[in-house]
Amino acid sequence: MSRRKPHARRTLALTLAVGLLAAPVAAQTIPLPKPAPKPRDGGIQLSATTQPARGPGSGASSAPPEPVIPDPRRNTPSPLFVTFDAQQKAQAARVSNYLSSLSTLVGNFVQVGPDGSRTKGDFYIQKPGKVRFEYDEPSPIAIIADGSSVAVRDRKLATQDIYPLSQTPLRYLLSDRIDLLRDTNVVSVTADDLFISVVIEEKQVLVGTSRLMLMIGAKDNQLKQWTVTDPQGYDTTVAVYNLDSSKKPDPGMFKIDFTNYSTPPG
């Protein structure tokens, strides 16, 4: 059995968090600036070089949530034709309306990888198509989407992999407006006292079948977490908290440097 190097395993888990299931279209070695230290007090300046104080979504920071890890036995093949009753359609519409109502969103996240490893960090969304995930130390990773591409940066190795946003499930979270039942292949809609869950399935000839499960709170109607299942059946779950939809991130946070530094000038 072949073993991935630690960096490869870590990068795979991170990219799975936002649905980067295919090979990158470009891999570069680039000089990356060191992040500025996080402020210890007062106001929060959301910029490309300044990280937020813990709890960017509210003045009073809440404790990280315990992610809900899906039962791996749920990953059974879906039927060719899926029908939903009126209640399920209403629940899917509720999730669609919530996602469509957002223009910006900032907060914190906890990620659980396929091997059970946990990482935390901050995220910033500006629709349509833009997001930034900043992982807490010691992780050197940042994930940035600029509206058309997604970059996975490693500050320690000074590398950057580029993926097309259109080929990742992340685009569903970042769409300006979306009707999940019409615009995606929804295979499951469930609800209980805590969550409304919608499962989207994507089939790609060369890659295989992947799934994205979105969960919003049944009571507060806010995004709680998502789980990406890769074609091999491995899950990566991201739970979000301290959410704030009123803050406006600095547009510079979502810029990707596409310069190919691996090719010497001239």
Side-chain angles (χ1 to χ4, degrees):
M1 179 183 301
S2 62
R3 295 184 179 179
R4 293 188 178 94
K5 295 180 180 180
H7 169 66
R9 291 197 302 267
R10 179 187 62 202
T11 302
L12 177 61
L14 292 169
T15 55
L16 282 174
V18 293
L20 305 179
L21 301 174
V25 296
Q28 305 171 356
T29 300
I30 60 174
L32 299 175
K34 294 182 179 180
K38 295 185 177 183
R40 297 181 179 179
D41 57 4
I44 300 172
Q45 180 182 356
L46 301 180
S47 68
T49 57
T50 302
Q51 302 300 314
R54 181 53 51 202
S58 63
S61 175
S62 61
E66 184 64 27
V68 179
I69 307 302
D71 184 349
R73 294 172 296 180
R74 80 191 189 286
N75 292 321
T76 57
S78 59
L80 292 177
F81 301 99
V82 182
T83 59
F84 301 105
D85 58 29
Q87 184 176 11
Q88 289 174 309
K89 291 179 180 178
Q91 291 161 346
R94 183 174 169 184
V95 177
S96 298
N97 292 337
Y98 166 73
L99 294 177
S100 298
S101 71
L102 297 173
S103 58
T104 62
L105 188 66
V106 303
N108 308 128
F109 68 88
V110 178
Q111 175 180 304
V112 181
D115 61 354
S117 60
R118 298 194 177 209
T119 50
K120 297 191 298 181
D122 311 312
F123 76 93
Y124 313 84
I125 289 176
Q126 181 176 301
K127 296 168 62 177
K130 298 177 180 179
V131 70
R132 185 182 185 103
F133 292 89
E134 289 283 355
Y135 288 79
D136 286 353
E137 297 292 347
S139 173
I141 299 297
I143 299 176
I144 305 164
D146 67 354
S148 60
S149 300
V150 183
V152 180
R153 294 180 176 177
D154 188 315
R155 293 186 300 271
K156 183 177 181 180
L157 299 179
T159 60
Q160 176 172 268
D161 292 331
I162 305 294
Y163 302 80
L165 177 61
S166 62
Q167 296 181 14
T168 75
L170 182 64
R171 67 187 186 275
Y172 299 131
L173 285 173
L174 305 179
S175 296
D176 197 14
R177 297 194 62 81
I178 190 168
D179 183 331
L180 292 173
L181 289 180
R182 184 188 65 187
D183 301 332
T184 73
N185 181 32
V186 174
V187 297
S188 173
V189 179
T190 59
D192 54 29
D193 293 339
L194 296 178
F195 305 107
I196 298 174
S197 303
V198 177
V199 179
I200 301 167
E201 185 176 86
E202 285 196 323
K203 295 182 179 180
Q204 300 181 28
V205 176
L206 298 179
V207 178
T209 300
S210 59
R211 290 186 176 185
L212 170 67
M213 181 169 65
L214 296 169
M215 297 172 65
I216 71 169
K219 296 181 179 179
D220 63 7
N221 203 50
Q222 286 198 344
L223 180 65
K224 297 301 181 182
Q225 69 174 52
W226 64 85
T227 297
V228 174
T229 305
D230 74 2
Q232 286 72 45
Y234 293 106
D235 292 332
T236 299
T237 296
V238 177
V240 296
Y241 62 110
N242 289 333
L243 302 182
D244 192 325
S245 59
S246 65
K247 294 187 181 299
K248 307 297 182 182
D250 184 337
M253 300 185 71
F254 310 109
K255 291 182 179 180
I256 299 174
D257 184 354
F258 291 98
T259 304
N260 189 353
Y261 291 98
S262 60
T263 303

